[in-house]
Amino acid sequence: MEKVSILILVLAGDTKISNRNLKTLEETWMKRIPEDMKLIKYSGGDTVKYDGTNLTVNSPDDYKSLSFKALEAFKWVSENISFDYIFRTNTSSYVDLENLKKFCENNTIEHLYRGRVLSNKFNNLTIKWSSGAEILMSKNTFKTLDKQWDYIP
């Protein structure tokens, strides 16, 4: 099993906008991945395939399947890569790798789950949720969630 300090998963669906954004990311921050980090771009498809950089999971590659696709990528990761932190983002995000690394090195929270908190009003209620633009988990949080994935339809 491959071992890295920080695994970066980038949701990269096969759409015009995502492909355009991905090209820009590959020309900027993705060029500078430190040796102790690993970057995997993942998308949906008919079969599971991995070439060392790109992961295709068995999932539709459409917007309504984003959560299922992430779940399938997480399941694959749990069987193939060992890490201290996993950072899930998408092709519309710029990642400051140095700040991400510093944050993880200085983290003291054993079960870290962090994301950009957004809120919306729905039927006069304010609902807070974590944006898919950035989700950071420690390996302990990931392992806790990993135990539950087989129960999610």
Side-chain angles (χ1 to χ4, degrees):
M1 183 174 284
E2 186 174 0
K3 168 79 171 117
V4 296
S5 175
I6 301 172
L7 174 62
I8 302 170
L9 282 182
V10 179
L11 170 64
D14 190 19
T15 67
K16 183 178 178 180
I17 293 172
S18 183
N19 288 330
R20 179 202 63 204
N21 291 353
L22 184 57
K23 185 176 180 182
T24 300
L25 298 182
E26 290 171 339
E27 294 170 355
T28 58
W29 69 269
M30 286 183 177
K31 281 179 137 176
R32 300 183 296 271
I33 303 296
E35 286 186 23
D36 59 342
M37 292 185 189
K38 179 158 188 80
L39 179 119
I40 297 176
K41 298 167 271 187
Y42 73 97
S43 58
D46 295 333
T47 59
V48 177
K49 293 182 276 187
Y50 178 63
D51 67 9
T53 304
N54 299 293
L55 170 65
T56 302
V57 296
N58 191 3
S59 168
D61 205 31
D62 56 13
Y63 184 76
K64 67 181 181 180
S65 300
L66 290 178
S67 295
F68 179 73
K69 193 174 359 180
L71 181 61
E72 291 299 300
F74 288 159
K75 286 179 184 178
W76 182 90
V77 164
S78 70
E79 297 170 1
N80 294 281
I81 300 181
S82 175
F83 56 85
D84 296 322
Y85 293 91
I86 186 167
F87 183 72
R88 189 272 197 205
T89 189
N90 58 44
T91 57
S92 63
S93 299
Y94 181 89
V95 179
D96 185 322
L97 297 170
E98 187 175 317
N99 280 342
L100 175 61
K101 186 173 182 171
K102 283 181 189 176
F103 180 88
C104 292
E105 288 173 347
N106 294 317
N107 174 54
T108 58
I109 301 169
E110 186 177 343
H111 285 87
L112 176 73
Y113 183 93
R114 183 185 188 289
R116 174 87 41 215
V117 177
L118 302 175
S119 64
N120 291 92
K121 289 240 185 230
F122 181 74
N123 290 341
N124 294 324
L125 295 173
T126 299
I127 299 170
K128 292 186 177 184
W129 50 284
S130 182
S131 165
E134 65 169 273
I135 298 170
L136 176 64
M137 287 184 266
S138 64
K139 70 178 170 186
N140 291 327
T141 300
F142 188 85
K143 286 179 181 178
T144 299
L145 294 172
D146 185 30
K147 295 174 187 171
Q148 305 302 314
W149 291 334
D150 290 332
Y151 301 105
I152 300 172

